[in-house]
Each structure stands twice: as structure tokens, then as C-alpha cells.
Amino acid sequence: MSIGSAPPGGICGDAFVGRCHDDEIADIWERVDFTIDDANPRAEWCDVARRPGGGGSSGGGASSGGGGPRSLSGLMNQNAITAGPGAGANAGNSFAEGKGDGYTWSQNDEEVELRFPVSSGTKAKYVKVNFGRSKLKVTVAGQTLLNGSLGGVVAVDDSTFTIEDANSGTGKELCVTLGKKEGNTWPFVIQSELPTTTIS
């Protein structure tokens, strides 16, 4: 969940985390120990898993130039080269920005910013944001857009919201800014506690 792959509402029930070495070219598959360092959301495998395709060998572009499947280690080496020096200030930093269910977010060491698209007629009086030290709830016109536990501690007095023209140039956005109590990067922004719809 810390790598940003949790479904809306989180995971209910048991979860299994495993690790293996899968070399499709040499036809080798073996279990590998999952270490404490691997549980760190900043571990290299987490960064690979956040990228489109997740580092696996399926999906678009998963074949090598020779037409055969690539190995995970080959993909990891290729991604390390792609995110090497000169790839930009946020290269390899998947904690800098992302998307949630109905919002986008970005963060630096001082603050987290969440942006929600809202109707053009939305006024501040329709918005209610409950800033907690470790929780956040955002409601617009009686509809809860986000409710959950935060990835770090908030300086409530340094937190606010504004309604702005959307970055896309059309419509409006509700921009919620959370001041961080400690200057660090959060391993995740928020774990939503909104109920999910089950289709049976």
C-alpha cells in the first residue's frame, strides 16, 4: 500500500507479500528471502513496481528488440539507466507526485498539495476540510471526496485550502495544502477510509 498500489478503500483480509527471482530467458524461477530493507517503501523494487508495467514482462513494450521476453533484472537495469543522472530533478522519486481516486497530489519537504476537480460554480462556503494531525477529510457540497489517514504528521496551523482555476485551463480545482510538522518525504500521502462499492 505504501508504494501506491492499494485499491481504493485499502486491503481487507489477509495479504501475502513474496519475492522471487524470475529470469524468463534462462527459464529460472526461485523464491528469494524478503529482507527488512525490502519492506522500505523507498527500496528499488518499490520504485520499479510503481512504473507502468510494474517491471514485469507483460503489457506494451515488454519484448526485447529480438522479439523474446525480457527478464526482470534486465528491466531493472534499463530503468536504472533511464532514471540516471540528467533525467530530471524528480527522476526516480516516485514520492514527489501521483494520482489518487479523484485527485492528484504532490509533495516536497515542507508541504503536501492535493488537487480535486470541482464544478465551476463551487464556492468556499460549500467546502469543508477537517485538518487533523494525522487525518484529513474533504467534503464539497455535502459529498465526501476524501477521508483517511495521512502518511505523516500535519502542522494544522500551516494548512489551508483554496479554489483555483484548473491547471488544465478549464474548470476549477480545490487545492488543499497540508503543512508538514517535520521536513521529510512521506512514504504515502493518504490511505482512504471511504467505503468501496462491491459488485456481486
Side-chain angles (χ1 to χ4, degrees):
M1 290 174 26
S2 292
I3 65 169
S5 62
I11 297 173
C12 300
D14 296 338
F16 173 79
V17 177
R19 183 174 177 198
C20 69
H21 171 77
D22 186 7
D23 186 337
E24 295 172 1
I25 295 170
D27 196 24
I28 297 172
W29 190 94
E30 61 186 356
R31 291 190 188 274
V32 179
D33 288 338
F34 193 87
T35 67
I36 294 295
D37 291 337
D38 291 327
N40 183 338
R42 293 176 190 233
E44 182 182 3
W45 77 269
C46 292
D47 190 45
V48 171
R50 281 187 208 92
R51 295 187 181 133
S57 64
S58 60
S63 294
S64 65
R70 291 185 292 188
S71 67
L72 177 58
S73 58
L75 284 171
M76 289 176 66
N77 289 337
Q78 177 186 345
N79 289 338
I81 292 167
T82 303
N90 290 327
N93 184 3
S94 54
F95 296 103
E97 59 186 23
K99 290 185 179 183
D101 189 13
Y103 64 94
T104 59
W105 61 267
S106 62
Q107 71 169 317
N108 57 36
D109 286 345
E110 285 87 39
E111 64 185 24
V112 173
E113 184 178 87
L114 299 104
R115 292 183 168 271
F116 303 83
V118 293
S119 65
S120 58
T122 301
K123 299 193 182 321
K125 66 182 180 180
Y126 304 139
V127 177
K128 183 175 183 182
V129 180
N130 293 339
F131 297 101
R133 286 178 39 85
S134 61
K135 291 195 173 264
L136 177 70
K137 183 175 182 181
V138 179
T139 306
V140 176
Q143 179 183 1
T144 301
L145 302 182
L146 187 63
N147 184 20
S149 299
L150 297 167
V153 180
V154 170
V156 176
D157 292 340
D158 295 336
S159 302
T160 189
F161 73 88
T162 57
I163 298 173
E164 306 171 356
D165 290 332
N167 287 337
S168 64
T170 59
K172 297 279 187 183
E173 285 182 327
L174 168 62
C175 177
V176 177
T177 304
L178 307 173
K180 292 182 177 181
K181 186 82 169 169
E182 300 169 357
N184 59 12
T185 300
W186 292 356
F188 63 91
V189 172
I190 190 163
Q191 292 179 343
S192 179
E193 296 171 3
L194 291 176
T196 58
T197 303
T198 304
I199 300 173
S200 53

